Every structure is written in C-alpha cells, then in structure tokens.
C-alpha cells in the first residue's frame, strides 16, 4: 500500500472536488428551501380551510411534505431538484425523507431484509439517534433546573 502525504492527499481532493459557484448556489438554496417551506405553509392553510384542527393540520402538512419527497425520490426527480437547489432541498423535512428513501431504493435489489431493511436508516439513523439523545439530555437539564 502506497503512503500518501498530506500534500498529495490535498491535491487529490482538490482535483476530485467540483468547483463551487457560491454566487449561484447560495441564492438557489435559499429559493428552493423557501419554496419548500412556502409549500408546507400552503398545505397547512389548505388543511385548516378543509376544517382540520390547527394542531392536526401542522402534522398533516409535514406528513404530506414527507410523502411528496419520498414519491419524488422514487421517481428520480428529487435528485435533479437537489442538483439545482443544493442545500435548500436538504434542510427542510423533505431532505430527511429523501435521506431515508434513497438508500432503500438503491438497495432494493438485495431484498427486503438485507437490502431495504438493512440500508433504510443508513444515512438518517445517526440523525435520529443524536436527535433523540439531545432531546433526552435537554429534557433532563430542563427538569433539573425546574427542581431548584
């Protein structure tokens, strides 16, 4: 095995990394992220208009966005949107749904157990674990401060 110096590795990374145009990618991320959030708000207002209680309408809006993201991932459309919108498609809840659906679709040929079941939470699993852990820690800290 060949030993690579830090400088050689840095040159390899620079060569393999595509150039980034922040003047275009940042506004596009802002626009796409804003459009997804605006769609979410429109869905919530639509559900409220249909007579759904406000708290339930928020949940329905999130569920609809997750469903649409998974559907667009399955139709190979979400990746194309991600190429244009960048981080704007990753930050909202739709990016999380895409992170769950993508590995499942990629490994479906390996079967339900060793393919979909094993890879379903490959990317999003750490997010779930750290999110729950942080929630428990913050909850304990809040509880302890309320005792005194």
């Amino acid at each position: 095995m060949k030993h690579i110096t830090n400088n050689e590795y840095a040159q390899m990374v620079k060569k393999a990394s595509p150039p980034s145009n922040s003047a275009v990618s940042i506004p596009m991320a802002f626009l796409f992220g804003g459009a997804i959030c605006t769609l979410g708000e429109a869905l919530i207002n639509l559900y409220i208009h249909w007579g759904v209680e406000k708290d339930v309408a928020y949940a329905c809006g999130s569920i609809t966005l997750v469903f649409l993201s998974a559907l667009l991932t399955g139709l190979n459309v979400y990746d194309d949107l991600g190429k244009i919108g960048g981080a704007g498609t990753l930050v909202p809840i739709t990016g999380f749904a895409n992170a769950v659906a993508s590995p499942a679709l990629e490994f479906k040929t390996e079967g339900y157990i060793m393919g979909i079941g094993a890879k379903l939470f490959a990317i999003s699993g750490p997010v779930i674990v750290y999110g729950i852990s942080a929630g428990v820690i913050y909850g304990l800290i809040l509880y302890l401060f309320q005792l005194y």
Side-chain angles (χ1 to χ4, degrees):
M1 181 173 193
K2 181 182 175 186
H3 180 67
I4 299 174
T5 66
N6 288 341
N7 288 336
E8 290 173 331
Y9 181 75
Q11 289 175 354
M12 289 171 51
V13 169
K14 186 176 181 180
K15 184 179 176 183
S17 300
S20 174
N21 185 356
S22 297
V24 174
S25 61
I26 292 172
M28 291 305 289
F30 176 79
L31 290 173
F32 270 72
I36 291 169
C37 293
T38 302
L39 174 62
E41 287 295 323
L43 288 168
I44 290 167
N45 289 333
L46 180 65
Y47 286 126
I48 291 172
H49 177 74
W50 286 345
V52 176
E53 293 180 23
K54 192 173 185 178
D55 291 341
V56 177
Y58 287 120
C60 290
S62 295
I63 291 167
T64 304
L65 286 175
V66 167
F67 169 76
L68 290 174
S69 175
L71 178 67
L72 292 176
T73 299
L75 296 173
N76 290 325
V77 174
Y78 202 88
D79 289 340
D80 294 336
L81 293 174
K83 288 176 186 173
I84 300 167
T89 60
L90 300 176
V91 175
I93 194 170
T94 54
F96 183 74
N98 175 263
V100 172
S102 291
L105 292 171
E106 185 177 340
F107 292 97
K108 69 181 177 185
T109 57
E110 295 181 23
Y112 290 114
I113 304 298
M114 296 307 292
I116 295 174
K119 301 295 182 181
L120 186 62
F121 296 107
I123 295 174
S124 60
V127 175
I128 294 169
V129 169
Y130 288 113
I132 291 171
S133 300
V136 169
I137 291 169
Y138 297 149
L140 288 173
I141 292 170
L142 180 64
Y143 177 75
L144 291 174
F145 278 121
Q146 288 179 348
L147 286 178
Y148 298 106

